[in-house]
Amino acid sequence: MAEIVAAPEKGPNAWAQAIAALVVVGALGGGLYVIQKSDAAAADKPAVCRLDDEDKKAAEKAHAAQRISGTELCAALNRADLPALLGTPQEHALTAYGSDGSVKMASGTEISSPEGTVQLDTYTVKLSRSYDDLPIAGMEGLLNEAESKTVLGHPAVLYSSQTIAFSFDLGGGKSDTGPGGIARALVVAPDTKDGGGSYELAIWRQDNVRPDDAALLSIAQKVLPAIPGWAAAG
């Protein structure tokens, strides 16, 4: 028997490629959603974003550098009404976790890129923060199916990304990859002046059906103001 899961395709952001920086803006490349730090399926209760010792150290380091942590992004994302916003009110969070990674630029500089992920039966949702200096302006001309938006007064770009389907043969112990469905992502400037850096909110479905843009935008309206420092940044 084979099990198939999906994850966003990993690769450098097109806007970063245009300036030879090789920076990934946002979370579309953060790995398999089956990496589970909080699994509530057995207890049939919604998963929560928990901190282990490694996460606590990462969060302390992020705060010392005046940055947000992956666990804080997870907490902002893992709302009680998230299933309803996705159009699947009967579901709940199966896994919820944050991670604190970084992306290395061509110059050797590492850019912090924390992210939080929540997985339900139908959808996976990921929220990330990139601390690069790249503005949102101009990005729409370099991304797939991209269009400019304004979200809560902040410049934003809505676009599509191809996911990768991971197939696991549970009997033979083999695995394979192939093209999956479409992920829809919203890249949002942290401030109204588009001074550089970004948040990215991405959703994709396990059944490879195209995600609902209205759901993505509704989640953004609720989740972004809950991010620590959002209001202060303007």
Side-chain angles (χ1 to χ4, degrees):
M1 183 176 72
E3 181 179 357
I4 299 177
V5 297
E9 185 174 10
K10 187 173 183 177
N13 174 265
W15 184 234
Q17 282 183 312
I19 63 169
L22 297 180
V23 178
V24 177
V25 174
L28 293 188
L32 284 172
Y33 72 79
V34 292
I35 301 173
Q36 300 175 358
K37 287 193 176 181
S38 177
D39 190 342
D44 196 31
K45 295 179 180 179
V48 296
C49 305
R50 293 194 178 95
L51 275 173
D52 58 23
D53 290 339
E54 184 177 342
D55 292 328
K56 289 178 181 177
K57 292 178 181 178
E60 290 171 359
K61 184 177 180 180
H63 291 159
Q66 296 185 327
R67 295 193 296 261
I68 197 167
S69 71
T71 302
E72 287 174 316
L73 292 175
C74 177
L77 184 60
N78 192 22
R79 302 170 52 92
D81 60 353
L82 181 62
L85 292 171
L86 287 165
T88 57
Q90 74 282 3
E91 298 181 1
H92 60 246
L94 301 176
T95 63
Y97 59 91
S99 62
D100 293 270
S102 62
V103 177
K104 182 172 287 188
M105 298 177 64
S107 64
T109 302
E110 289 195 5
I111 296 176
S112 178
S113 184
E115 59 188 39
T117 304
V118 176
Q119 179 222 336
L120 295 81
D121 281 327
T122 302
Y123 280 96
T124 299
V125 189
K126 185 173 287 187
L127 175 65
S128 66
R129 173 73 160 95
S130 179
Y131 285 91
D132 56 46
D133 295 323
L134 301 176
I136 300 299
M139 193 179 292
E140 67 277 2
L142 300 164
L143 298 172
N144 294 329
E145 298 184 307
E147 56 182 299
S148 297
K149 295 282 186 181
T150 300
V151 177
L152 300 170
H154 293 225
V157 174
L158 178 66
Y159 76 99
S160 293
S161 177
Q162 180 76 51
T163 68
I164 299 173
F166 291 78
S167 177
F168 299 93
D169 185 344
L170 302 181
K174 297 180 180 180
S175 63
D176 197 9
T177 62
I182 296 295
R184 292 292 280 168
L186 185 69
V187 186
V188 184
D191 58 71
T192 58
K193 295 182 180 180
D194 195 13
S198 61
Y199 289 101
E200 182 170 277
L201 181 65
I203 61 174
W204 65 96
R205 292 176 60 112
Q206 322 312 343
D207 56 10
N208 291 340
V209 173
R210 187 182 179 91
D212 182 13
D213 285 354
L216 175 58
L217 294 170
S218 293
I219 294 168
Q221 295 282 339
K222 297 285 188 178
V223 168
L224 293 176
I227 296 173
W230 173 268

